[in-house]
């Protein structure tokens, strides 16, 4: 008999020998995806970037060098490494190399101005900046503003751009040993990345991700989007945005091929689909709209179905319809930076296949049900936290509870506490729950228009505008109104080379398609301001609408 005697306790399953041990419990981390795939498919193409190809063996080797190069520079546990780059291989490698050294990756939004970049580098106490030479001017300006200077590594993949005297990226990798040992985190709760929100209402907040959440959300993506080793994933979504919604790890997990893309334009996207037989891509609805309105000369024929996941804003049903006509299959996702990107999906129901396209597109424009890896979502009355009835009309706040939520905001306990008040994460999005359990976002709390005491969903008015044959883009915000409190004000971009349309004609169109109190009272034509992730900057439009009333 061994020394480990069984002695019956009060709880049948709460026995010491049934406790976790190092054989049956390991920290969840997406880092193991790369070593596993490299071991199974060493020669498979992992990354395509212009004419360059990297196999999974090479990808893994480069990431090990990356981690060791950081270690040799004294960078490790709890240090932040910032990367400012478009969707090039170096940024993908950073998603493994940085956490393999125990450090935390902060992928920066390259459309930020120098002051915001300097703010973030200071705030995150970054120990190293790796920047693409394309952004040399803004990097020089940001570095000059820093309170504590930091070393620079420069990515130069032949596109040009001037050097600021930093170490070239390949030379930096060469500082590391590909055979150096590395290990995953001891604790799955360890930080893996830091992602700043856009900070439309003040300084940006640094959202801290953990290894466990990154592992789970990546698995959720792989399953939801149907990735496998035949998948070719085109990098149209910025990797700096929620780590590419965690597809940086999901595609590797499934041994798919990452197709990098320095610049997101319709001709490069169609060319990649045709040449690399891209099977999956993600993007904000604005990217879909760009494909829909691409000139005919740029559009390429392809004979396979391309899966497109869209989110970040609700896709107008007209955009879903037009994408389907071109051979794309659209999946609608919803999420936030705090939820590692996607947290809900408009899960497909077979009976929808028999519906006419406009009806189907309207159902698909809903944000849907919780991701496989998201524990709970509810629509609640924010004061009492009581569930809103599933009647498709009672507005409440969408709240989430999940292993795939951030640890919290870096150096910001007050905002963290507020976000998690009452044991739920508050999205700040207003939604209804339909009788079939599908959730539909009506607005961000701050975007809802309250006119004569009635709530008007800006998204609903926008959807009606997008159905107008001559409108390419539309955004609706509240304009201060002396009688109604607020009234809807529509900012509109017309399709190129379309016949002129008057504001009265647009208003007449809305009257025919919307309840009359929802019809915009003001129409403004012109280009729309966008955020770095392709979202229309409503806060700026609100300012413009306010000026109209001043
Ligand atoms: P930022 O706050 O910087 O715009 P996030 O990615 O965190 O960046 O934005 C999350 C917000 O985007 C959500 O709170 C929601 O308002 C909006 N959003 C995301 N996906 C959708 C969607 N599918 N439909 C409508 N709104 C969405």
């Amino acid at each position: 008999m061994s020394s480990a005697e069984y002695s019956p306790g009060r709880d049948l399953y709460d026995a010491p020998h049934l406790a976790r041990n190092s054989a049956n419990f390991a920290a969840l981390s997406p880092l193991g995806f790369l070593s596993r795939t490299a071991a199974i498919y060493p020669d498979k193409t992992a990354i395509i970037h212009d004419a360059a190809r990297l196999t999974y063996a090479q990808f893994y080797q480069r990431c090990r060098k990356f981690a060791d190069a950081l270690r040799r520079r004294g960078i490790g546990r709890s240090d932040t490494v910032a990367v400012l780059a478009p969707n090039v291989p170096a940024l993908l490698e950073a998603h493994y190399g940085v956490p393999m050294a125990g450090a935390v990756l902060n992928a920066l939004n390259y459309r930020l101005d120098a002051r915001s970049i300097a703010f973030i580098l200071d705030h995150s106490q970054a120990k190293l900046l790796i920047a693409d030479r394309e952004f040399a001017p803004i990097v020089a300006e940001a570095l000059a503003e820093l309170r504590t200077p930091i070393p620079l590594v420069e990515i130069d993949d032949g596109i040009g751009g001037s050097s600021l005297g930093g170490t070239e990226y390949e030379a930096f990798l060469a500082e590391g040993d590909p055979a150096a040992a590395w290990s995953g985190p001891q604790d799955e709760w360890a930080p893996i990345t830091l992602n700043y929100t856009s900070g439309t209402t003040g300084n940006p907040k640094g959202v801290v991700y953990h290894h466990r959440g990154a592992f789970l959300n990546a698995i959720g993506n792989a399953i939801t989007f149907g990735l496998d080793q035949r998948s070719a994933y085109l990098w149209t979504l910025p990797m700096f945005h929620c780590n590419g919604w965690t597809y940086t790890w999901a595609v590797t997990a499934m041994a798919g091929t990452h197709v990098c893309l320095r610049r997101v334009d319709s001709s490069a996207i169609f060319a990649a689909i045709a040449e690399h037989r891209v099977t999956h891509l993600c993007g904000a609805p604005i990217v879909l709209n760009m494909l829909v309105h691409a000139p005919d000369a740029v559009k390429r024929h392809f004979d396979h179905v391309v899966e497109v996941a869209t989110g970040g804003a609700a896709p107008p049903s007209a955009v879903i319809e037009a994408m389907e006509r071109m051979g794309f299959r659209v999946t609608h996702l919803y999420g936030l930076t705090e939820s590692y990107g996607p947290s809900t999906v408009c899960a497909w129901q077979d009976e929808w296949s028999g519906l006419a396209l406009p009806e189907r597109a309207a159902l698909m424009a809903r944000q849907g049900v919780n991701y496989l890896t998201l524990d709970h979502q509810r629509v609640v009355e924010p004061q009492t936290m009581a569930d809103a009835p599933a009647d498709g009309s009672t507005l409440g706040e969408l709240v989430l509870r999940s292993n795939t939520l951030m640890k919290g905001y870096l150096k910001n306990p007050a905002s963290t506490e507020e976000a998690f008040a009452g044991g739920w994460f508050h999205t700040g999005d207003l939604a209804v729950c339909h009788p079939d359990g599908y959730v539909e976002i009506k607005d961000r709390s701050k975007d809802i228009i309250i006119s004569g005491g009635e709530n008007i969903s800006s998204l609903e008015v926008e959807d009606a505008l997008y159905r107008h044959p001559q409108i390419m883009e539309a955004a609706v915000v509240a304009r201060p109104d002396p009688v109604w409190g607020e009234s809807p004000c529509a900012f509109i971009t017309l399709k190129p080379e379309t016949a002129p349309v008057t504001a009265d004609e647009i208003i007449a169109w809305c009257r025919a398609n919307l309840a009359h109190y929802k019809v915009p009272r003001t129409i403004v034509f012109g280009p729309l301001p966008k955020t770095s992730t392709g979202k229309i900057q409503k806060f700026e439009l609100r300012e413009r609408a306010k000026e109209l009333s001043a």
Side-chain angles (χ1 to χ4, degrees):
M1 191 90 189
S2 83
S3 60
E5 290 277 349
Y6 173 67
S7 57
R10 269 195 307 153
D11 182 326
L12 185 59
Y13 292 99
D14 190 20
H17 73 286
L18 298 183
R20 56 169 83 146
N21 63 49
S22 54
N24 64 17
F25 184 91
L28 298 179
S29 165
L31 298 182
F33 298 159
L34 179 55
S35 47
R36 177 180 181 274
T37 298
I40 303 170
Y41 303 107
D43 301 324
K44 178 155 193 231
T45 302
I47 303 176
I48 296 178
H49 179 47
D50 294 331
R53 301 285 181 277
L54 288 173
T55 64
Y56 264 103
Q58 291 168 321
F59 181 17
Y60 182 38
Q61 199 178 54
R62 287 168 63 84
C63 295
R64 293 180 77 174
K65 283 160 83 173
F66 195 135
D68 192 50
L70 288 177
R71 262 187 242 109
R72 285 168 193 247
R73 286 172 172 236
I75 296 172
R77 198 161 165 266
S78 288
D79 290 331
T80 307
V81 174
V83 180
L84 182 71
N87 286 345
V88 294
L91 180 50
L92 190 56
E93 287 162 357
H95 278 81
Y96 298 89
V98 174
M100 278 160 85
V104 179
L105 169 68
N106 175 218
L108 287 158
N109 177 343
Y110 52 77
R111 294 196 194 107
L112 290 175
D113 58 287
R115 273 191 67 193
S116 307
I117 291 173
F119 169 86
I120 292 174
L121 292 173
D122 263 333
H123 188 261
S124 69
Q125 293 162 228
K127 295 284 184 299
L128 177 72
L129 172 63
I130 302 178
D132 193 280
R133 279 199 184 151
E134 185 182 341
F135 308 121
I138 207 137
V139 169
E141 232 183 288
L143 291 180
E145 286 208 20
L146 286 187
R147 285 180 298 185
T148 320
I150 52 171
L152 178 69
V153 167
E154 295 176 298
I155 304 163
D156 177 11
D157 60 6
I159 197 85
S162 50
S163 168
L164 298 173
T167 311
E168 203 277 315
Y169 178 67
E170 295 297 328
F172 161 75
L173 285 191
E175 293 170 16
D177 175 358
W182 69 277
S183 60
Q186 290 282 308
D187 183 350
E188 58 194 14
W189 191 245
I192 181 167
T193 53
L194 171 67
N195 291 294
Y196 281 83
T197 61
S198 62
T200 52
T201 51
N203 279 330
K205 293 195 284 265
V207 175
V208 183
Y209 287 9
H210 46 80
H211 282 254
R212 173 184 173 79
F215 174 97
L216 290 169
N217 211 62
I219 296 283
N221 276 334
I223 294 171
T224 305
F225 209 17
L227 297 177
D228 63 27
Q229 76 265 38
R230 286 158 306 194
S231 303
Y233 180 90
L234 182 65
W235 273 107
T236 35
L237 180 82
M239 290 186 207
F240 69 70
H241 197 206
C242 317
N243 304 112
W245 297 352
T246 71
Y247 278 98
T248 42
W249 299 300
V251 175
T252 303
M254 303 312 288
T257 298
H258 296 268
V259 182
C260 287
L261 198 62
R262 178 174 275 277
R263 213 172 305 287
V264 178
D265 65 45
S266 48
S267 72
I269 295 174
F270 278 109
I273 293 172
E275 284 159 29
H276 306 306
R277 223 180 148 74
V278 165
T279 54
H280 295 79
L281 61 96
C282 297
I286 225 95
V287 175
L288 276 49
N289 214 18
M290 183 180 82
L291 297 180
V292 168
H293 295 292
D296 284 341
V298 155
K299 284 185 182 159
R300 300 268 288 266
H301 176 72
F302 47 93
D303 56 12
H304 61 293
V305 174
V306 179
E307 301 281 351
V308 181
T310 192
S317 37
V319 173
I320 297 179
E321 275 180 61
M323 285 295 283
E324 287 202 357
R325 286 209 185 87
M326 289 197 297
F328 293 88
R329 185 158 47 215
V330 179
T331 301
H332 180 194
L333 309 174
Y334 155 91
L336 324 85
T337 304
E338 290 85 340
S339 67
Y340 296 67
S343 63
T344 83
V345 53
C346 188
W348 184 256
Q349 300 282 343
D350 277 344
E351 54 271 28
W352 296 356
S353 307
L355 298 176
L357 200 50
E359 262 178 273
R360 189 148 42 90
L363 287 171
M364 287 167 64
R366 304 178 305 167
Q367 285 66 22
V369 296
N370 57 317
Y371 239 48
L372 181 64
T373 41
L374 185 103
D375 301 330
H376 291 294
Q377 66 173 13
R378 291 165 66 209
V379 176
V380 299
E381 203 284 304
Q383 273 11 322
T384 62
M385 293 294 282
D387 283 306
D391 58 7
S393 61
T394 308
L395 208 56
E397 187 183 15
L398 183 68
V399 295
L400 311 173
R401 194 172 252 187
S402 183
N403 295 300
T404 53
L405 286 170
M406 63 168 178
K407 286 166 81 93
Y409 300 114
L410 188 71
K411 299 181 185 170
N412 194 340
S415 296
T416 305
E417 207 172 293
E418 197 185 329
F420 288 130
W424 288 84
F425 173 71
H426 295 258
T427 63
D429 288 313
L430 298 176
V432 297
C433 184
H434 287 275
D436 61 0
Y438 281 51
V439 154
E440 184 177 357
I441 305 281
K442 290 294 186 181
D443 244 321
R444 280 191 171 190
S445 323
K446 58 183 182 298
D447 289 346
I448 198 102
I449 302 158
I450 304 172
S451 190
E454 298 277 3
N455 286 341
I456 302 174
S457 152
S458 63
L459 296 183
E460 185 186 346
V461 185
E462 286 158 15
D463 205 58
L465 289 167
Y466 271 100
R467 305 204 140 267
H468 189 284
Q470 282 151 288
I471 291 179
M472 189 165 82
E473 283 174 357
V476 176
V477 297
R479 174 180 173 183
D481 187 294
V483 178
W484 302 105
E486 292 177 347
S487 69
C489 173
F491 291 83
I492 286 169
T493 314
L494 295 177
K495 288 180 186 169
E497 292 156 30
T498 193
V501 193
T502 65
D504 286 345
E505 281 166 322
I506 303 249
I507 288 173
W509 169 269
C510 290
R511 286 179 78 85
N513 288 285
L514 287 168
H516 287 186
Y517 73 95
K518 298 180 180 170
V519 172
R521 302 175 83 84
T522 322
I523 308 282
V524 182
F525 294 99
L528 303 181
K530 309 258 171 63
T531 67
S532 50
T533 48
K535 284 189 203 176
I536 295 163
Q537 283 176 309
K538 285 209 168 164
F539 69 98
E540 187 174 329
L541 295 177
R542 264 194 294 274
E543 289 303 310
R544 288 191 204 169
K546 232 184 258 167
E547 281 161 23
L548 291 174
S549 295

